Amino acid sequence: MQDKTFASDAHSDNPLLAEWTGPFGVPPFDRIEPQHFPPAFAHAFAAHEAEIAAVAGDAAEPTFANTIEALELSGAALTRVENVFHMLAGAHTNDAILAIERDLAPLQAKHWNHILMDEALFRRIDSLHRRRDTLTLKPEQARVLDRYHLMFMRAGAALDAAAKAHLAQINERLATLGTAFSQNVLADEQAYALVLEGEDELAGLPDFVRAAARAAADERGLAGKHVITLARSSIEPFLQFSQRRDLREKIFRSWIARGDGGGTTDNKAIIVEMLALRIERARLLGYRTFAHYRLDDAMAKTPDAVRALLDRVWSAARRHALADRDALQALVQEEGNNFTLAAWDWRYYAEKLRKARCDIEEAAVKPYFELERIIEAAFYTANRLFGLTFERREGIPVWHEDVLVWEVRDAAGKHRGVFFGDYFARSSKHSGAWMTSLREQEKLRGDVRPLILNVLNFSRAGQGEPVLLSFEDAKTLFHEFGHALHGLLSDVTFPMIAGTNVQTDWVELPSQLYEHWLERPEILRGFATHHVTGEPMPEELLRRLIAARTFDQGRATVEYVASALVDLDLHLQAASQAQAFDAAAFDIDAFERAALGRIGMPDELVMRHRPTHFQHVFAGGSYAAAYYSYMWSEVLDADAFAAFEETGDIFDRATATKLHDHVYAAGGLRDPAQLYTAFRGRLPTPEGLLKRRGLLEAPVDA
């Protein structure tokens, strides 16, 4: 039965249901209010259900056109409303949207359960799939048919009625739990602020950190004070520079305890229930574990393949991290301190060690990484590689005054899409960085051009001051813009396989590959310019910056791989009678400690994402049992950039054309391994990844 909150009441003045006639068909954000969403969803759900019923009940023999194309054309209203709502829920939420999100989650799951488990609809798809070799389909059509059949099979379409009903209940409950998990993390982040009082508590903080802290205080109505938040762009510089060890410990403990506070926002019980439900879901679908189910539709294919990669990287990363730990402990002692290095000390002493080893420090580099110049660098790189140009556009509706808009054109001057940049942290935004879309590219309804977003969480500067990024912040901008290009350059017919609608261990290739260009002197010489003088970064500083790129990679890699291994272990728990998952007895904290103990996690380091705030895995779960994907894609991206280096030109036209055709524009046209082989001529090995991270060499002695 439909929730009364979403009772169908399609008001004629609802901007979500009216035609979007503004520039480029951008949603009318200036007129959209939270109260518009429930009736819009009710209308869109009903319209989609009617369209699906027409496809499933078609008396004609199934054809690609009357079944698969009809499915691709269905649900247009729902897609529009969903895209707007989920963007706002992540980038500019409020209490009303949070309440709607909680109500909506199980209704969306129920809606899709009904479609993906529809027996008559699946009979049509299955009939086509069994006859696919006789249908004279074009390659893209054959791929889309295969993906639809697999999607329905993985959703339980072939199960009996009782199993379908049980699976539907699981999906609806998982949707509710994932939303609660995400909102709990957001609540903990919104609730915390470290207010710094006086010069003593600001000790060691450079001007750019102080400016960001003043801006964060102003946003919270604390004019004249300084605030450090739990946004990564705020807390990491504080941990890097603050001389107050007690304050570093205080905020670090709050940072890693998100979702683990024991109160109403505690996520431990949610994790246990989600694990149990995922195990049961895998069992119903015939898989040993959820990890086996999840990876069956990935490049990696099996948990063993994932573990083999992670274990290989782990041993090298841990060796380097332990050597760095000893060097950091020596610095502690050289300063006359007798404490043992702790996790909240690592970044502080690593900055000192970087200065000693590499003759470079963040305070010397950051003035050369102004946000506007790094955006220009990302655009310039896209122009050199793919011929794209970006023109700022005013008067386009946006969801927040900070959002910037560009029209994107190709080398021939043809409109390719619209790009939105939402760069600053705020209390209404979830932490992290991501790419999403308001409209995806397709050709089924005509030449539909995409509306693509990057959402990031950089710290604001003070009034009238330039926004300065760390080198890591700049890499994050390039990373997310690589995802954006995957959406903007998409050139397929069917929405099912457009842009980033690909396997998770392939989707990170375009983003991670794009980071390589930022690290090249050809880019840095042109865009790493001083925010006051406009002078380019001195060649000697540039050389040291590039040479220091692999500094502290042992720590960074250990933090990431530990998260990926714990994610894998959590989802390798079995559902058989002999190894039944005992939810009542499961302790996520104990599991985390045991898993980290098995791999020898250094005491001075923590996972990049502890389970209680691991939103990749538990808030929606698209990366559940798949957080390894970043590293799998890194094997690909290290090898892919080598293709340019081998030509002697990082913008080599022939290589860029192949990259465009087989990666950025291809979406899910073919299996990822086939696409990569078409680009590179072969599949890669992990050596390129280890070399890029500086983990092939012996670690530096303490």
Side-chain angles (χ1 to χ4, degrees):
M1 188 175 75
Q2 193 173 57
D3 188 289
K4 64 180 180 180
T5 308
F6 289 80
S8 184
D9 182 16
H11 301 292
S12 59
D13 60 349
N14 190 324
L16 290 165
L17 299 176
E19 184 180 358
W20 296 343
T21 58
F24 308 114
V26 171
F29 289 107
D30 53 336
R31 296 191 291 115
I32 294 172
E33 300 292 342
Q35 64 266 23
H36 293 134
F37 283 104
F41 269 110
H43 172 83
F45 283 146
H48 194 202
E49 288 167 5
E51 291 164 346
I52 293 298
V55 177
D58 192 339
E61 181 182 11
T63 65
F64 186 88
N66 69 20
T67 302
I68 302 302
E69 281 193 11
L71 285 174
E72 284 285 81
L73 289 168
S74 71
L78 180 58
T79 298
R80 292 201 321 166
V81 177
E82 283 181 330
N83 287 349
V84 174
F85 179 80
H86 291 302
M87 185 281 295
L88 290 175
H92 194 38
T93 193
N94 55 41
D95 289 344
I97 289 177
L98 290 171
I100 294 168
E101 187 180 34
R102 291 190 293 271
D103 292 335
L104 177 63
L107 295 179
Q108 281 185 301
K110 182 181 294 185
H111 176 78
W112 285 104
N113 283 335
H114 178 73
I115 293 171
L116 295 173
M117 296 181 188
D118 186 296
E119 185 174 350
L121 182 59
F122 179 63
R123 276 200 307 269
R124 297 183 68 85
I125 297 170
D126 191 50
S127 171
L128 288 171
H129 193 255
R130 284 186 282 104
R131 295 185 287 116
R132 61 190 180 279
D133 293 337
T134 68
L135 298 176
T136 63
L137 299 176
K138 297 177 181 178
E140 183 175 353
Q141 292 174 319
R143 176 69 173 170
V144 170
L145 173 57
D146 284 343
R147 296 304 297 169
Y148 260 101
H149 188 262
L150 183 63
M151 178 175 71
F152 273 72
M153 288 291 292
R154 289 175 61 81
L159 298 177
D160 62 35
K164 283 181 182 178
H166 187 23
L167 184 58
Q169 291 176 336
I170 289 172
N171 291 339
E172 291 167 29
R173 181 60 179 162
L174 282 171
T176 297
L177 293 170
T179 298
F181 185 100
S182 175
Q183 293 193 1
N184 286 344
V185 175
L186 177 64
D188 280 358
E189 291 173 348
Q190 290 176 330
Y192 186 89
L194 177 64
V195 181
L196 304 178
E197 304 282 357
E199 188 61 31
D200 181 58
E201 295 189 350
L202 293 166
L205 300 183
D207 289 344
F208 61 83
V209 178
R210 295 181 182 215
R214 283 195 302 271
D218 290 344
E219 184 184 3
R220 287 160 176 76
L222 300 172
K225 296 186 181 295
H226 295 79
V227 164
I228 306 299
T229 73
L230 296 184
R232 191 174 289 273
S233 61
S234 178
I235 187 174
E236 285 196 333
F238 182 79
L239 294 172
Q240 192 173 3
F241 294 108
S242 175
Q243 295 175 4
R244 286 288 301 268
R245 186 171 191 251
D246 59 329
L247 296 181
R248 296 201 308 266
E249 178 180 2
K250 181 178 181 181
I251 196 168
F252 185 87
R253 289 189 181 279
S254 296
W255 192 33
I256 66 170
R258 288 168 292 160
D260 194 17
T264 57
T265 60
D266 192 284
N267 276 331
K268 291 191 288 292
I270 290 176
I271 289 172
V272 175
E273 188 176 355
M274 290 186 81
L275 288 173
L277 290 172
R278 285 173 176 172
I279 289 169
E280 180 63 7
R281 181 182 181 186
R283 185 192 67 79
L284 286 169
L285 293 169
Y287 292 88
R288 286 169 48 199
T289 71
F290 181 83
H292 286 84
Y293 162 74
R294 177 64 182 79
L295 296 173
D296 192 41
D297 185 30
M299 288 189 74
K301 298 301 182 188
T302 68
D304 288 345
V306 171
R307 191 176 295 282
L309 172 62
L310 294 177
D311 284 350
R312 182 170 184 182
V313 177
W314 173 260
S315 58
R318 182 177 182 274
R319 185 169 64 252
H320 279 257
L322 291 176
D324 285 346
R325 175 202 62 188
D326 294 342
L328 298 178
Q329 184 64 59
L331 284 179
V332 172
Q333 294 166 341
E334 287 172 12
E335 291 186 346
N337 298 308
N338 61 5
F339 60 80
T340 300
L341 185 81
W344 47 88
D345 300 315
W346 190 289
R347 287 170 175 79
Y348 179 73
Y349 283 97
E351 180 64 16
K352 294 174 179 285
L353 184 62
R354 182 164 74 144
K355 172 66 174 173
R357 282 186 183 172
C358 308
D359 191 21
I360 196 166
E361 54 188 336
E362 186 72 24
V365 172
K366 196 157 187 172
Y368 293 93
F369 286 90
E370 187 177 356
L371 173 61
E372 288 189 8
R373 293 293 286 154
I374 301 306
I375 294 172
E376 290 174 12
F379 291 170
Y380 171 83
T381 303
N383 177 261
R384 291 291 305 275
L385 288 170
F386 307 122
L388 298 180
T389 57
F390 298 80
E391 180 183 352
R392 274 290 304 274
R393 296 296 301 259
E394 304 292 343
I396 307 297
V398 293
W399 51 97
H400 190 275
E401 61 185 6
D402 288 341
V403 178
L404 305 177
V405 187
W406 292 267
E407 181 183 2
V408 186
R409 294 181 178 274
D410 62 20
K414 182 180 178 182
H415 174 79
R416 290 301 300 263
V418 178
F419 173 64
F420 299 81
D422 186 352
Y423 294 107
F424 298 120
R426 54 179 174 264
S427 59
S428 64
K429 184 189 287 187
H430 284 264
S431 61
W434 63 94
M435 167 268 187
T436 188
S437 63
L438 293 168
R439 185 176 69 219
E440 293 182 326
Q441 179 271 331
E442 60 159 295
K443 298 176 184 175
L444 201 57
R445 295 177 178 87
D447 186 15
V448 177
R449 307 316 307 170
L451 306 175
I452 301 297
L453 292 68
N454 274 173
V455 182
L456 298 101
N457 272 279
F458 298 141
S459 294
R460 294 177 183 276
Q463 184 68 32
E465 298 177 10
V467 177
L468 301 179
L469 306 180
S470 68
F471 191 49
E472 288 303 311
D473 285 340
K475 285 175 62 177
T476 298
L477 187 150
F478 262 64
H479 177 101
E480 296 306 332
F481 191 68
H483 281 309
L485 289 175
H486 203 182
L488 288 165
L489 290 170
S490 177
D491 188 20
V492 301
T493 299
F494 297 95
M496 150 72 83
I497 57 170
T500 57
N501 295 328
V502 299
Q503 287 95 324
T504 53
D505 49 7
W506 174 253
V507 78
E508 296 300 335
L509 168 61
S511 55
Q512 293 179 180
L513 173 59
Y514 209 69
E515 296 176 32
H516 287 258
W517 276 275
L518 175 67
E519 299 173 353
R520 295 290 300 202
E522 295 94 325
I523 295 298
L524 293 173
R525 287 190 184 108
F527 296 94
T529 55
H530 197 281
H531 71 93
V532 175
T533 67
E535 293 294 317
M537 182 181 290
E539 282 294 313
E540 179 58 24
L541 181 59
L542 178 62
R543 182 193 63 78
R544 296 198 305 270
L545 174 64
I546 294 173
R549 182 180 58 77
T550 59
F551 175 76
D552 205 26
Q553 277 298 303
R555 185 267 312 164
T557 307
V558 161
E559 289 178 342
Y560 166 80
V561 176
S563 297
L565 285 168
V566 170
D567 167 42
L568 185 64
D569 284 347
L570 281 169
H571 293 100
L572 277 172
Q573 298 173 95
S576 67
Q577 289 299 319
Q579 296 176 282
F581 178 74
D582 187 351
F586 186 79
D587 183 335
I588 184 60
D589 288 337
F591 185 95
E592 178 185 346
R593 288 192 300 271
L596 295 178
R598 284 193 300 273
I599 62 177
M601 181 75 167
D603 293 337
E604 301 81 5
L605 294 176
V606 298
M607 301 163 63
R608 182 172 176 84
H609 304 286
R610 291 191 57 238
T612 55
H613 53 258
F614 207 163
Q615 299 197 72
H616 289 77
V617 171
F618 293 110
S622 60
Y623 281 80
Y627 191 61
Y628 77 93
S629 296
Y630 293 91
M631 188 143 285
W632 190 275
S633 291
E634 192 172 345
V635 172
L636 301 172
D637 76 64
D639 181 71
F641 193 72
F644 286 90
E645 293 177 308
E646 289 162 10
T647 71
D649 179 3
I650 63 169
F651 298 111
D652 178 69
R653 175 56 51 204
T655 308
T657 298
K658 288 196 295 183
L659 181 66
H660 172 277
D661 293 348
H662 302 300
V663 178
Y664 283 94
L669 274 174
R670 287 193 282 169
D671 179 83
Q674 294 175 340
L675 289 173
Y676 190 83
T677 301
F679 161 65
R680 192 68 165 108
R682 55 167 174 74
L683 292 175
T685 62
E687 276 68 29
L689 176 154
L690 294 169
K691 180 180 179 181
R692 180 169 185 258
R693 286 185 173 244
L695 301 177
L696 279 178
E697 303 86 1
V700 177
D701 293 334

